[in-house]
Amino acid sequence: MQKIINLDLKNIKRHLTGGEKIIILSFASLIAGFFVFSLVFSNPTFASENITTNVLIEPSLTVTIPSAPLVLNLDPASKTYDSKSFPVSVATNNITGYKLSVSTTGDITDLTRDISSDTTTLPTYTIPTLDSGSSYAAPSDFPANKWGYKKDSGNYIPFSSPTPLLENATATNGDTTTLSFASKIDYTLASGAYKTTLVFTATTNPMVNYIQDLNPALCTTAPMTVVDKRDNEEYTIAKLADGNCWLLENLRLDISDPSVQAKLTSATTNATDETLNYLKNGGGSSPYPANGVIAKTASSGSWPNDYANPYIATQYRDTIQPASGSSSAGKIGIYYNYCAASAGSYCYAADASSGDASQDICPAGWHLPTGGASGQYQALYTAYSSNVANFEAALSTPLSGYFHSGAAYGQGAYGYFWSSTRLNGSRMYYLIVDASAVNPQISNYRDFGFSVRCVLK
């Protein structure tokens, strides 16, 4: 939706044009009611019939600007500075909200003198916006022959095109901001009207399917895109032949990123807040990491044979590798040692005994697949009749290799994927794939860096 204001510095007048909806979202609310009637016989009986009532709610996105004209008069002899304000509001029933911005025609921020009525030939005069980075609160500080704007009670600042004004992530009955425009002149400017056109553009936000909020009924055999709340990364998921909903890409969650760590909670991750706090902050006693070190090998250049601390390798995160068994390919993602893959919950010494991992860095509601002869990897392989090509094409397994001792190995030849199942001692089951084979019942040491896949609980 766009609405237009003509800005005239001799007379600032506001003109609205017809609105144009940029995004139209159709949806309906369904209300089911029951209409009951009775039939009376010698022995009373009752019958009922369901009547469905459909209520259609039309999509709405409205930008409101007052219709009263705004006049800004400037005179170098008596009134060198002037400002005027007006409210702008947005209302929408789009449940994911909107964004509102304002821009100038052609993104030119100078106000240009209107010479359409001049009969003499004069040079072109303009009034540029305030200098970049400047901010003015009082008219006495405002520089001559400049113009600027402010929102609400802020200072006047340079106008950039486009400029974000309002946004909301939910439906709203009305968000409002007050815009103010100001200018100051001296005798060096020619008299006349200096103009530009302000275009207000509102767009509805697209619908987002967060992986943490996924209704299992929505996961079908048709692949769909979901978003991880922790880093806004998009993934593809689908229901595969075993009847489970699988993540069809390698996890790319950088748990060393402070912005990601701030969102690592039990509401977003398949781990308790206590475990995640150890992962993020360190400290505590076994089995949690002693110092909370999360080393990115892209910067450290090494990967110690360490079972007690979480390590990740991020330098190949978005590198594309071929997927065996099909013509598709996928991103390598991030390599995680088992301490990291288990969200810091499985960081025992190399020879310690333990059960299976019950916590991990999968999104909340998802988990690491189980391994071994009776695990979910094996069950999925069996569901595809132990056909390597069909299994690998369905799970979309890039040949991402593995990471250890500061280097990547097997990229383009093998893919390695952690499970939640322990074999013995320091060994955990994992899935390995290559161009001609699948083995869901193999194990390796927990200090290796493998890929992570997740399955819906």
Side-chain angles (χ1 to χ4, degrees):
M1 169 176 289
Q2 293 184 337
K3 291 191 175 182
I4 297 174
I5 288 181
N6 288 329
L7 194 60
D8 181 332
L9 264 206
K10 174 75 174 187
N11 293 292
I12 293 190
K13 296 182 180 178
R14 182 189 161 286
H15 305 283
L16 291 182
T17 66
E20 177 184 344
K21 289 187 177 178
I22 295 177
I23 296 179
I24 298 177
L25 238 131
S26 295
F27 57 90
S29 294
L30 183 65
I31 300 176
F34 297 93
F35 177 71
V36 181
F37 62 94
S38 62
L39 301 175
V40 181
F41 298 97
S42 55
N43 293 314
T45 60
F46 297 90
S48 66
E49 181 178 345
N50 295 343
I51 297 178
T52 300
T53 301
N54 291 317
V55 177
L56 179 63
I57 302 176
E58 295 292 341
S60 177
L61 175 63
T62 304
V63 179
T64 304
I65 305 173
S67 58
L70 293 169
V71 179
L72 192 65
N73 288 318
L74 297 169
D75 184 337
S78 60
K79 192 179 182 182
T80 62
Y81 173 90
D82 197 11
S83 65
K84 289 294 185 295
S85 303
F86 61 88
V88 178
S89 66
V90 181
T92 183
N93 58 1
N94 179 45
I95 61 175
T96 55
Y98 72 92
K99 290 182 176 64
L100 174 71
S101 64
V102 61
S103 59
T104 51
T105 304
D107 289 343
I108 298 172
T109 57
D110 288 349
L111 306 184
T112 304
R113 183 174 177 271
D114 183 6
I115 60 173
S116 59
S117 60
D118 281 353
T119 58
T120 59
T121 301
L122 293 173
T124 300
Y125 286 90
T126 62
I127 303 178
T129 190
L130 294 169
D131 294 337
S132 177
S134 60
S135 176
Y136 301 97
S140 59
D141 298 329
F142 209 98
N145 306 325
K146 298 283 188 177
W147 74 284
Y149 90 104
K150 71 176 181 178
K151 286 175 57 178
D152 300 320
S153 60
N155 288 352
Y156 284 98
I157 59 176
F159 183 87
S160 59
S161 185
T163 290
L165 291 181
L166 290 169
E167 64 177 291
N168 202 327
T170 64
T172 175
N173 281 325
D175 295 333
T176 300
T177 187
T178 298
L179 288 183
S180 302
F181 294 90
S183 184
K184 191 175 185 179
I185 64 167
D186 60 20
Y187 279 100
T188 62
L189 276 179
S191 62
Y194 291 75
K195 297 181 178 181
T196 189
T197 299
L198 301 179
V199 181
F200 291 81
T201 302
T203 58
T204 52
N205 295 327
M207 300 292 289
V208 178
N209 292 314
Y210 287 111
I211 191 170
Q212 286 89 348
D213 299 335
L214 182 73
N215 183 337
L218 296 180
C219 186
T220 66
T221 55
M224 68 179 294
T225 299
V226 293
V227 176
D228 192 333
K229 289 182 177 181
R230 299 170 293 184
D231 58 0
N232 291 321
E233 190 74 13
E234 292 186 353
Y235 294 95
T236 303
I237 63 170
K239 182 182 290 187
L240 301 185
D242 63 343
N244 289 322
C245 189
W246 288 81
L247 189 66
L248 303 186
E249 301 177 51
N250 291 354
L251 195 67
R252 300 184 289 274
L253 185 73
D254 184 354
I255 57 175
S256 68
D257 184 336
S259 65
V260 171
Q261 289 189 0
K263 298 179 182 179
L264 291 179
T265 69
S266 58
T268 64
T269 309
N270 184 39
T272 66
D273 288 328
E274 179 188 19
T275 295
L276 293 169
N277 284 335
Y278 279 113
L279 178 70
K280 293 182 287 187
N281 303 318
S285 57
S286 179
Y288 302 105
N291 55 21
V293 174
I294 302 175
K296 296 201 301 184
T297 55
S299 58
S300 66
S302 65
W303 185 302
N305 298 331
D306 185 346
Y307 295 87
N309 292 286
Y311 287 90
I312 64 175
T314 63
Q315 59 265 53
Y316 303 102
R317 181 181 183 278
D318 295 317
T319 304
I320 302 296
Q321 289 293 302
S324 61
S326 74
S327 60
S328 63
K331 294 180 179 180
I332 285 179
I334 291 178
Y335 298 108
Y336 305 87
N337 75 347
Y338 207 80
C339 181
S342 67
S345 67
Y346 208 114
C347 303
Y348 299 88
D351 59 352
S353 298
S354 175
D356 300 338
S358 60
Q359 302 181 63
D360 51 61
I361 57 170
C362 286
W366 297 68
H367 65 93
L368 278 175
T370 54
S374 58
Q376 289 173 307
Y377 281 132
Q378 179 63 57
L380 181 63
Y381 188 39
T382 302
Y384 284 101
S385 302
S386 301
N387 182 289
V388 173
N390 291 344
F391 170 85
E392 294 179 350
L395 195 55
S396 185
T397 51
L399 301 176
S400 47
Y402 68 93
F403 200 91
H404 196 259
S405 299
Y409 301 90
Q411 292 179 340
Y414 302 94
Y416 299 79
F417 306 88
W418 282 125
S419 82
S420 62
T421 307
R422 171 181 172 270
L423 173 63
N424 56 48
S426 61
R427 302 180 71 92
M428 305 296 293
Y429 280 110
Y430 68 95
L431 166 72
I432 183 173
V433 301
D434 62 27
S436 60
V438 168
N439 191 341
Q441 301 183 40
I442 195 167
S443 67
N444 210 329
Y445 296 105
R446 301 193 312 270
D447 59 331
F448 278 71
F450 291 164
S451 302
V452 164
R453 288 297 179 94
C454 303
V455 62
L456 189 63
K457 291 184 178 180

